[in-house]
Amino acid sequence: MDTLKGKNALVTGSSSGIGKAIALLFAKEGANVIVTYHSGKERADEVVKEISQYGVKTKAYGVDVAAEADVKKLFAMVDEEFGDLNILVNNAGINGSGIPVEDMSTEIWDRVIKTNLYGPFFCSREYLQYKKKYKTYKGSRIINVTSIHEYVNVPGNANYNASKSGMRNFAYTMALELASREMTVNNIAPGMILTPINEKVIDDPKKLQAADDIIPFHRGGDPMEVAQVALFLASDASSYVSGSTYTVDGCLSILGPNA
Ligand code: NAD
């Protein structure tokens, strides 16, 4: 129960889905959790209420991770309220567009790249300023929730695929930059997880069945199954693990090309 006792963790996009599961599990394991959301303050407040039951400190902040000034403001407020941070989970993200490149507007390209790639850059940079200020690199963590589209491509998803594969080298570069200080940076690559981001599939029994038929486990994942991997990567148990991607997909991404 005390795996993360006394640690301060900021989880972006923790009002919903995978981020919410990570926030709840970290709190259950003793971490003080900073919840962030983009829209839907009520859902974030609900998460804060649930977290409070574990007797840890928590607060929700609204932020657009794609907006540099917003992110700077968030980290300044968190510093004032919580002091040093030990764990950053870059989880906030939005889906691709389903539009092929030849028809993709710059606006649609930008929206996904700004949220999924600039967002983690802005948050990681601010977080690393904390490390510089508090001189607490060793044992600190960056965990990025990417996707199997870090390395699996599907047509009509160029903005999403590019954002998530960009996260791969972004994370691995940070891992190298921080290695001598024993601060770790790792990615989690989920397959199909049952969260609101997939509501078009989940809410349509035919589409859900078709997806389940393809996934070797014959089901989508539960957000808590991703959170458990995040807990390992946040904990002292992963002290020598950095620059890695942990895939959580019920074998989906290792299917051959004729699946
Ligand atoms: P979700 O829609 O349930 O949650 C997304 C969260 O991100 C919400 O809290 C939302 O408020 C926040 N968010 C969105 N845009 C934001 C912005 N501009 N600024 C700040 N916060 C913002 O989705 P989810 O499935 O929990 O997705 C979480 C992460 O997991 C995403 O990065 C997504 O790409 C990744 N992922 C999800 C799946 C899946 O099948 N669910 C698969 C692979 C990867």
Side-chain angles (χ1 to χ4, degrees):
M1 292 291 277
D2 286 341
T3 307
L4 302 179
K5 195 168 173 54
K7 308 259 189 204
N8 289 339
L10 190 155
V11 185
T12 66
S14 38
S15 60
S16 171
I18 294 169
K20 177 180 171 181
I22 293 172
L24 289 174
L25 186 60
F26 281 14
K28 192 175 171 192
E29 291 294 337
N32 303 311
V33 179
I34 295 104
V35 172
T36 85
Y37 63 97
H38 187 215
S39 55
K41 180 178 182 309
E42 315 70 43
R43 280 181 302 160
D45 288 343
E46 272 304 309
V47 176
V48 162
K49 213 165 125 191
E50 274 189 68
I51 286 177
S52 301
Q53 294 170 8
Y54 297 114
V56 297
K57 188 171 171 179
T58 181
K59 192 167 175 175
Y61 297 87
V63 65
D64 178 358
V65 295
E68 186 172 7
D70 248 36
V71 173
K72 278 186 188 290
K73 214 160 82 187
L74 165 75
F75 277 81
M77 286 189 294
V78 170
D79 194 3
E80 219 162 87
E81 184 75 33
F82 287 80
D84 191 14
L85 281 172
N86 312 98
I87 303 158
L88 168 68
V89 183
N90 285 311
N91 164 77
I94 54 173
N95 236 343
S97 49
I99 299 169
V101 172
E102 61 188 4
D103 297 321
M104 189 180 290
S105 68
T106 308
E107 195 267 332
I108 286 175
W109 170 264
D110 272 355
R111 194 170 344 125
V112 173
I113 298 289
K114 283 260 168 76
T115 305
N116 295 4
L117 193 53
Y118 275 67
F121 164 62
F122 292 147
C123 291
S124 300
R125 188 179 56 189
E126 292 310 309
Y127 176 63
L128 290 173
Q129 292 300 316
Y130 261 71
K131 299 296 100 188
K132 204 182 257 183
K133 175 176 162 184
Y134 288 98
K135 300 183 175 55
T136 50
Y137 290 98
K138 188 168 177 176
S140 289
R141 305 280 188 255
I142 296 178
I143 300 161
N144 305 300
V145 181
T146 60
S147 164
I148 55 172
H149 298 301
E150 231 191 70
Y151 50 91
V152 173
N153 289 293
V154 287
N157 219 22
N159 45 3
Y160 190 79
N161 297 341
S163 71
K164 296 299 186 177
S165 67
M167 278 301 292
R168 187 176 178 88
N169 278 349
F170 174 60
Y172 294 4
T173 305
M174 278 197 294
L176 284 172
E177 289 176 359
L178 296 163
S180 64
R181 286 168 270 179
E182 297 205 18
M183 176 175 164
T184 70
V185 184
N186 291 290
N187 291 354
I188 301 176
M192 192 183 85
I193 309 299
L194 302 172
T195 73
I197 217 173
N198 287 319
E199 64 187 0
K200 281 190 189 141
V201 176
I202 296 166
D203 295 345
D204 180 333
K206 274 194 188 147
K207 283 189 183 157
L208 186 60
Q209 188 58 57
D212 287 351
D213 286 345
I214 294 169
I215 300 166
F217 270 42
H218 297 306
R219 65 172 178 87
D222 185 278
M224 208 35 95
E225 293 177 304
V226 181
Q228 292 290 354
V229 177
L231 176 61
F232 164 68
L233 291 173
S235 74
D236 292 343
S238 64
S239 52
Y240 201 55
V241 178
S242 194
S244 294
T245 293
Y246 281 66
T247 298
V248 186
D249 72 345
C251 288
L252 178 60
S253 61
I254 58 168
L255 280 171
N258 300 319

